[in-house]
Amino acid sequence: MRLTMRKVLVALMILLCVFSSAFCLDRIGFGVDVASVQDIFLGHGSFQVDLDLRTMVSEEFQIRIPMAFTMNQASFVFESGVALVYYPWRTGPFMSLSVFQFGFSSGTNNLENVVSLNEVAVGWSFEFGPGLFIEPGIVIRDPSGTFSDEYSRIKGEFPCYTTFRARLLFGWYFWR
């Protein structure tokens, strides 16, 4: 399974680079959620790691490919999709909306193999150094209640999978 995840990650990065260069987009990067340690300190019995690949479409819009891996001792959920991010003042505060998002589960009888998900995020992006950034934010999962059955089953299996989740993304724009 580990080799397959690496292949998916490499394929997504190559796809994002090709997409960005074909459409002359600037700034390609990635972010990793360093706030994942909250799951360890809060003793939830499960753990979630988030990261995303991103590219700027214009000065105000960004496309992200979020990826999250939630696990406990016996099962896991890998989720990915596409999110559209809006920066109203071209820097600083942002709002993110998932265009589509799916979760793939294994090792659990409570979840289907593929589940539909959605989320909204708000936060603030601080840039420092050559292409480095940090983004504190809050993620609201299933704000409309459309996928309430799926989310209740995921929350039952993974206690760290809450409706509101604090994130602290640290990242780097490696292509500017």
Side-chain angles (χ1 to χ4, degrees):
M1 183 68 182
R2 188 177 307 193
L3 186 59
T4 304
M5 296 299 245
R6 287 184 194 163
K7 288 180 181 178
V8 168
L9 185 58
V10 168
L12 286 173
M13 288 186 73
I14 290 171
L15 181 67
L16 192 63
C17 289
V18 168
F19 177 78
S20 295
S21 62
F23 293 101
C24 300
L25 304 175
D26 49 310
R27 298 203 308 174
I28 301 173
F30 66 91
V32 177
D33 181 16
V34 295
S36 294
V37 296
Q38 66 188 327
D39 297 334
I40 295 170
F41 291 123
L42 295 176
H44 285 260
S46 60
F47 182 73
Q48 182 175 352
V49 177
D50 296 295
L51 63 100
D52 67 40
L53 301 172
R54 53 183 64 197
T55 186
M56 296 300 289
V57 178
S58 70
E59 291 180 354
E60 296 168 336
F61 288 98
Q62 186 179 75
I63 292 177
R64 293 185 187 177
I65 300 173
M67 292 173 277
F69 189 74
T70 308
M71 66 194 128
N72 61 20
Q73 294 175 347
S75 55
F76 71 88
V77 170
F78 172 75
E79 55 186 274
S80 186
V82 173
L84 182 63
V85 182
Y86 174 59
Y87 289 88
W89 294 286
R90 298 183 180 154
T91 185
F94 67 88
M95 297 182 324
S96 171
L97 174 65
S98 61
V99 178
F100 67 89
Q101 189 170 346
F102 294 98
F104 307 95
S105 67
S106 179
T108 177
N109 294 331
N110 295 336
L111 296 173
E112 298 172 17
N113 288 339
V114 178
V115 291
S116 296
L117 306 169
N118 69 352
E119 63 185 32
V120 173
V122 294
W124 200 284
S125 186
F126 299 97
E127 292 190 27
F128 60 95
L132 298 174
F133 65 87
I134 192 163
E135 286 182 355
I138 299 288
V139 175
I140 305 160
R141 294 179 170 138
D142 196 29
S144 63
T146 306
F147 303 110
S148 59
D149 290 342
E150 287 91 337
Y151 277 98
S152 63
R153 283 186 250 147
I154 292 172
K155 289 175 187 177
E157 187 75 23
F158 305 101
C160 73
Y161 205 92
T162 57
T163 302
F164 296 93
R165 182 166 176 91
R167 286 193 183 151
L168 182 62
L169 288 167
F170 176 77
W172 175 47
Y173 289 109
F174 57 87
W175 182 335
R176 294 190 83 155

